[in-house]
Amino acid sequence: MNLLLIILPVFIIFFIGFIGQRLIGFDIKSISSAALYLMSPFLAFRTFYTHELSIDYVYILIACLGLTFSLLLIAWLSSLFMQTTRSELSALILGSVFPNSGNYGAPVVLFALGAVGFDYAVVIMVFHGLIINTIGIFFASLGGEEKATWKQAIYKVLRMPLAYASALGILLQLVDITVPLEGVGLAADASIPTVMLVLGMQLAVISKKKVAYHFVSTATIIRMAVSPLVAAVIVSFMPLDDLYKTVFIIQSAMPTAANTTLLALQFGTEPDLVSFMTFITTILSIITIPLTLFFLGI
């Protein structure tokens, strides 16, 4: 029951966005651009500025990258059997590779493992955010409406502010410069609910005839079943404490990241399909997350 109470706010925000779009009809792309370019960088900056750096960051980054490239390979191999277009492959990657470790995973970790586990979850969340806003953007732009070349895709990655905001946070922490965080905190705290609202809005305009359900099922299996298993294998080789390993596995078992909907909308990469993948994996997580916690002995 307590776990359901943690999950419930996520669905409430989805529902608010859904109803708002149906009744009013917002410009979804403009709102998603604001969240992507104006709010998310402040969240990344605050996290790296306020959390003390340690060698564990290096191991976690390696684990996150190892999991990401493993899932990319699995998604690409799956696409060969389904004969996907470039746009469909990009959508499959967005839906299956990137977990919702922030506004969903972090609260679950807080409930399951307490405040220390939550601090670990925030670090993992930011690394996931960096990966989404680099590798995720690269593939979203490759499969977008403009069908970007590799060079153009890399250029679009370099234009994203989140990586620069993270680097700035690390730099200011290292040189011990005090930054007033009140204004930063307001923008950072606004980013997560805005992303969730956008997903609810996008779900309200999904045209079912555009959703290829075999892609949805493939992405769901990779995201909800394969991902935590691969994560468990990866961290078994890492010199991390058991709590960090457990948090990483839990975060890796989360549904599709809501930010993938922002990217799909921003670049025109099958937004209906990516939104539906996010929605289905989030619904199924009501069952899969308790199972993951059970197998972890929590």
Side-chain angles (χ1 to χ4, degrees):
M1 177 58 70
N2 288 334
L3 181 59
L4 292 177
L5 291 177
I6 290 175
I7 295 174
L8 182 61
V10 175
F11 289 94
I12 290 176
I13 299 176
F14 282 162
F15 185 69
I16 292 172
F18 182 92
I19 295 298
Q21 185 63 29
R22 283 293 180 89
L23 295 180
I24 300 174
F26 295 96
D27 182 352
I28 301 175
K29 189 169 183 178
S30 294
I31 298 174
S32 70
S33 296
L36 195 60
Y37 288 96
L38 300 181
M39 301 176 193
S40 296
F42 286 96
L43 179 63
F45 171 83
R46 183 179 66 179
T47 300
F48 280 102
Y49 178 72
T50 58
H51 286 77
E52 185 178 354
L53 300 175
S54 72
I55 190 62
D56 287 340
Y57 279 26
V58 177
Y59 296 130
I60 287 298
L61 178 59
I62 293 172
C64 289
L65 289 173
L67 178 62
T68 298
F69 286 109
S70 296
L71 296 180
L72 279 171
L73 177 61
I74 294 170
W76 176 72
L77 291 174
S78 300
S79 73
L80 296 180
F81 293 98
M82 294 185 287
Q83 298 181 331
T84 61
T85 64
R86 188 163 76 170
S87 181
E88 290 168 341
L89 172 59
S90 292
L92 180 63
I93 288 172
L94 291 176
S96 59
V97 173
F98 308 107
N100 190 350
S101 56
N103 48 335
Y104 198 158
V108 170
V109 170
L110 177 62
F111 162 71
L113 300 172
V116 176
F118 179 75
D119 288 340
Y120 291 171
V122 170
V123 173
I124 295 170
M125 174 198 76
V126 172
F127 281 131
H128 281 163
L130 288 171
I131 290 170
I132 292 172
N133 284 280
T134 50
I135 297 173
I137 288 171
F138 177 79
F139 283 102
S141 59
L142 273 182
E145 291 176 344
E146 298 178 3
K147 296 295 186 293
T149 64
W150 286 71
K151 289 184 178 180
Q152 290 170 332
I154 292 173
Y155 174 71
K156 289 180 180 180
V157 169
L158 295 176
R159 289 181 57 210
M160 298 304 295
L162 190 139
Y164 302 112
S166 302
L168 180 61
I170 293 172
L171 176 63
L172 294 183
Q173 182 188 152
L174 291 174
V175 299
D176 197 24
I177 294 179
T178 301
V179 176
L181 293 176
E182 289 79 5
V184 172
L186 288 173
D189 292 337
S191 64
I192 290 177
T194 302
V195 168
M196 302 305 291
L197 285 172
V198 168
L199 178 56
M201 293 174 188
Q202 182 61 17
L203 292 173
V205 299
I206 284 178
S207 174
K208 291 185 177 180
K209 64 182 180 182
K210 295 181 181 179
V211 176
Y213 291 99
H214 59 293
F215 292 130
V216 176
S217 60
T218 300
T220 299
I221 293 170
I222 296 173
R223 173 92 304 278
M224 308 306 290
V226 176
S227 178
L229 293 175
V230 174
V233 172
I234 290 174
V235 294
S236 67
F237 296 99
M238 294 288 175
L240 295 165
D241 64 55
D242 289 340
L243 180 58
Y244 234 139
K245 292 179 180 181
T246 300
V247 172
F248 184 77
I249 295 170
I250 294 174
Q251 295 283 63
S252 301
M254 290 298 128
T256 303
N259 277 12
T260 59
T261 297
L262 298 186
L263 298 183
L265 285 165
Q266 188 71 26
F267 296 103
T269 312
E270 306 285 346
D272 288 352
L273 178 57
V274 174
S275 299
F276 200 70
M277 288 174 178
T278 306
F279 176 71
I280 290 298
T281 55
T282 302
I283 291 293
L284 290 178
S285 68
I286 298 175
I287 299 172
T288 60
I289 290 175
L291 286 174
T292 300
L293 296 177
F294 173 78
F295 285 116
L296 289 171
I298 300 172

